[in-house]
Amino acid sequence: MRKGLFALAAVSLLATGSIAACGDDSGSDSGSTGGGSAAAGKVGIILPDTKSSQRWGTDDPKFLKAAFDAAGVPVEIQNAQGDKTQFQTIADGMISSGVAVLMIVNLDSGTGKAVLEKAKKAGIATIDYDRLTLSGGADYYVSFDNVAVGKLQGEGLVKCLEEKKYTKPVVAELNGSPTDNNATLFAQGYDSILDPKYADGTFTKGPNQDVPDWDNAQAGTIFEQMLTSNKNIKGVLAANDGLGNAAITVLKKNQLNGQVPVTGQDATVQGLQNILAGDQCMTVYKAIKKEADAAADLAVALAKKQKPTTATGTTKDPESGADVPSVLLEPQSITKENVKDVIADGFVTKDAVCTADFAKACTDAGIS
């Protein structure tokens, strides 16, 4: 059950004792106040937004900063707040300041590619973090096996629908942003599970729509329109917890929550609470600390002009055909039976999840 928590070999970080500073998660630039390692250059990191997932505003900045602090390598972390112009402006500033490594989570492949090309011309090593920039040519890629994430979502929905014993249930799909290659990979994974069910008549393929920029408000509007046009929707493949919660909010308005299984991803506090309440079927846990540590390990080696040794896999860029050296981590399916694993792993706290409204559900789920 805990396979996904421990599948990646431990990532070692080089500790030197110097402390680095980073920009805060609001996108302001506080630079680096520590001296860092004399042998290491500075690392610049650009995160995408704080709306599509809580991780970009809280989890990743925290884990990345801790990893670079432990390695004694100076780092600057900024957030583009969903603004492509701001993303490019931040990158230009980091490149002109002479960072040795640039790590990005692109807002779309076009913007990301332009930034990566500028960095390469300046002789800066590049890392795609979490999202592959199509035709971007990054030196390395660190993420989870995103097709596997989608497969877990598809398998989870199949199990929940089978438990409901629905006959030929109509399944709606709320896909992620069409500009995010990860969303394409998630869909590849869950469609590989659901398409055979549609083909043999076990399930009925319902409305299927992308959600621009992973926008939860738009997801709510989209799903409300889906449900209005098809009252027989019995399952929702939602690509992450935010989209899932948007669907659940609409289902609640129609007194259908708990009757219509909904998937998710990211193991957010909200997603876990929805699972405990019986409104969400499952989520996918991606141990973000392991992803941050793996990316930091690569960046530290590059900043010290060493050859990284941990990128033992490859990911084929579907546009350029290039094989990008990669670190790919294994995700884990989370249902009510193992919500406690996410808390035990330290990703979220019991206090955050088990508020008064969810205290009994937490006890029933074995969370102590």
Side-chain angles (χ1 to χ4, degrees):
M1 183 172 290
R2 297 177 61 86
K3 178 181 177 184
L5 300 176
F6 305 111
L8 179 71
V11 177
S12 64
L13 294 174
L14 306 172
T16 63
S18 298
I19 301 299
C22 67
D24 65 24
D25 58 30
S26 68
S28 62
D29 177 7
S30 62
S32 174
T33 58
S37 167
K42 185 178 180 180
V43 176
I45 302 174
I46 311 176
L47 301 178
D49 58 57
T50 53
K51 289 179 62 178
S52 65
S53 176
Q54 71 173 32
R55 64 174 292 186
W56 305 125
T58 55
D59 304 315
D60 292 86
K62 174 180 67 178
F63 293 136
L64 286 165
K65 182 182 185 302
F68 284 100
D69 282 356
V73 172
V75 65
E76 177 184 336
I77 304 174
Q78 293 204 50
N79 193 301
Q81 297 297 344
D83 187 321
K84 295 175 187 177
T85 301
Q86 180 68 3
F87 192 99
Q88 292 176 313
T89 300
I90 293 170
D92 288 344
M94 290 181 174
I95 291 168
S96 64
S97 73
V99 295
V101 183
L102 182 65
M103 184 190 307
I104 70 167
V105 185
N106 70 62
L107 284 168
D108 62 25
S109 286
T111 306
K113 179 181 179 181
V115 164
L116 292 173
E117 286 177 346
K118 283 185 181 180
K120 284 198 162 189
K121 287 180 181 178
I124 296 169
T126 55
I127 299 172
D128 269 335
Y129 182 58
D130 197 69
R131 299 173 183 169
L132 183 67
T133 302
L134 301 184
S135 296
D139 295 313
Y140 294 95
Y141 173 50
V142 179
S143 189
F144 285 82
D145 183 336
N146 293 307
V147 174
V149 169
K151 286 182 177 179
L152 291 177
Q153 291 174 313
E155 290 164 354
L157 186 60
V158 168
K159 181 179 178 183
C160 290
L161 286 170
E162 287 176 344
E163 289 173 352
K164 293 289 187 185
K165 301 186 186 304
Y166 290 143
T167 301
K168 297 183 178 180
V170 175
V171 175
E173 296 185 21
L174 280 174
N175 309 303
S177 175
T179 60
D180 181 356
N181 186 59
N182 280 3
T184 301
L185 297 175
F186 302 147
Q188 181 182 328
Y190 53 73
D191 284 342
S192 72
I193 303 299
L194 296 178
D195 283 351
K197 297 290 185 181
Y198 299 143
D200 67 15
T202 304
F203 295 170
T204 302
K205 188 174 181 64
N208 183 322
Q209 194 165 335
D210 297 340
V211 179
D213 301 321
W214 295 92
D215 187 280
N216 296 335
Q218 287 194 62
T221 300
I222 290 168
F223 183 69
E224 192 148 29
Q225 292 168 347
M226 287 180 172
L227 192 62
T228 299
S229 63
N230 194 327
K231 298 290 188 183
N232 292 320
I233 290 172
K234 296 298 185 184
V236 182
L237 194 301
N240 75 0
D241 287 347
L243 305 188
N245 187 67
I248 289 167
T249 300
V250 174
L251 292 170
K252 284 180 177 179
K253 286 170 57 179
N254 291 273
Q255 290 79 52
L256 292 171
N257 56 303
Q259 301 175 46
V260 178
V262 179
T263 67
Q265 175 193 174
D266 290 335
T268 64
V269 168
Q270 185 178 65
L272 296 174
Q273 289 177 334
N274 282 336
I275 289 172
L276 290 169
D279 293 334
Q280 185 168 323
C281 167
M282 57 82 68
T283 187
V284 178
Y285 174 45
K286 300 182 296 186
I288 293 171
K289 183 179 185 301
K290 290 183 173 69
E291 186 181 19
D293 285 351
D297 187 56
L298 281 175
V300 165
L302 292 168
K304 295 190 173 197
K305 302 188 183 304
Q306 299 169 352
K307 183 175 178 58
T309 59
T310 56
T312 55
T314 59
T315 299
K316 185 170 289 294
D317 184 323
E319 282 193 1
S320 70
D323 290 321
V324 185
S326 304
V327 178
L328 299 176
L329 291 79
E330 186 177 355
Q332 180 187 8
S333 178
I334 299 295
T335 62
K336 189 177 293 187
E337 286 68 30
N338 61 343
V339 166
K340 58 183 178 292
D341 286 0
V342 184
I343 295 172
D345 203 43
F347 180 64
V348 296
T349 66
K350 177 186 174 183
D351 288 345
V353 175
C354 300
T355 55
D357 290 342
F358 300 94
K360 183 178 185 305
C362 281
T363 300
D364 292 345
I367 300 169
S368 58

